[in-house]
Amino acid sequence: MRTLIVSEFITLDGVIDSPGGGEHAHGGWTFKDAEFDAAAYEIKAREQAEAGCLLIGRQTYDEFAPVWPTMDEFAEYNAMPKYVVSSTLTDPEWNNTSVLRSLDEVAALKQSDEPGTILVQASATLAQGLAAAGLVDRYHLLVFPVVLGSGKRLFAGDADKARLTLTEHAAYGNGVQLNVFDVVR
């Protein structure tokens, strides 16, 4: 069975909305509100190297698909299989992208013997649904020393209790912390 990892930039108050820019009033908080420290992003290179596919929601697809194919630093993501969980997307144009219609199809993807992890990035609604369905195995969280007060959150307000085990932790000079948690079943 493949490992499904949810990877997020997250604020101290649990917001994952618009970390690189976007419609949130404080969009771009990852680079506007924390000094850049390359060491804090090392986990992103590891994720890209270990991922067998990228799993995203429709809104994330709409944001990433026009931009990521033009960025050299995302060459591996652009080449790997990508899956979009959507009930409305019919003809994805991003290279090597397929549409999954349900979380049952995500569960089947986890059961496949394809190599590499399944990496979920951004996609708050998808991450919440995957957690509720018991499909998340690990969280990679880069926690920024920022409080936004509002915005899309990683965990739904009505989410069931979940137990996590910290498997990796690092703190960086800019105040960002890496927390890798495995879900305890």
Side-chain angles (χ1 to χ4, degrees):
M1 180 185 309
R2 298 170 86 179
T3 300
L4 191 145
I5 299 169
V6 172
S7 177
E8 298 290 351
F9 297 118
I10 188 168
T11 65
L12 283 174
D13 58 341
V15 175
I16 60 173
D17 201 344
S18 305
E23 296 183 13
H24 189 279
H26 302 291
W29 49 267
T30 57
F31 59 86
K32 291 179 183 175
D33 297 317
E35 182 180 317
F36 180 76
D37 184 339
Y41 295 92
E42 182 274 337
I43 186 74
K44 300 317 237 173
R46 256 193 295 158
E47 288 172 350
Q48 192 171 172
E50 295 170 1
C53 67
L54 184 63
L55 177 68
I56 55 178
R58 173 63 189 266
Q59 183 176 348
T60 300
Y61 171 82
D62 287 345
E63 292 173 5
F64 286 9
V67 179
W68 279 29
T70 65
M71 301 176 75
D72 291 339
E73 62 266 34
F74 297 128
E76 290 180 54
Y77 285 131
N78 288 319
M80 74 175 55
K82 290 165 286 299
Y83 297 91
V84 181
V85 179
S86 174
S87 61
T88 57
L89 183 63
T90 56
D91 191 22
E93 295 180 15
W94 193 1
N95 174 53
N96 208 8
T97 299
S98 302
V99 177
L100 302 178
R101 298 288 180 210
S102 69
L103 293 180
D104 289 338
E105 291 185 42
V106 174
L109 182 64
K110 277 190 70 170
Q111 294 298 323
S112 75
D113 56 3
E114 294 293 320
T117 62
I118 300 171
L119 186 63
V120 179
Q121 291 192 343
S123 301
T125 302
L126 177 59
Q128 291 175 5
L130 293 167
L135 296 172
V136 178
D137 299 301
R138 182 174 299 139
Y139 291 96
H140 290 180
L141 305 178
L142 279 175
V143 184
F144 283 71
V146 176
V147 174
L148 296 182
S150 66
K152 296 176 186 173
R153 297 179 183 278
L154 177 55
F155 300 103
D158 61 351
D160 289 337
K161 177 182 168 184
R163 189 165 156 241
L164 308 173
T165 299
L166 184 67
T167 61
E168 183 180 349
H169 173 75
Y172 304 99
N174 61 357
V176 172
Q177 295 181 25
L178 167 66
N179 293 301
V180 175
F181 293 102
D182 282 346
V183 176
V184 176
R185 295 202 183 357

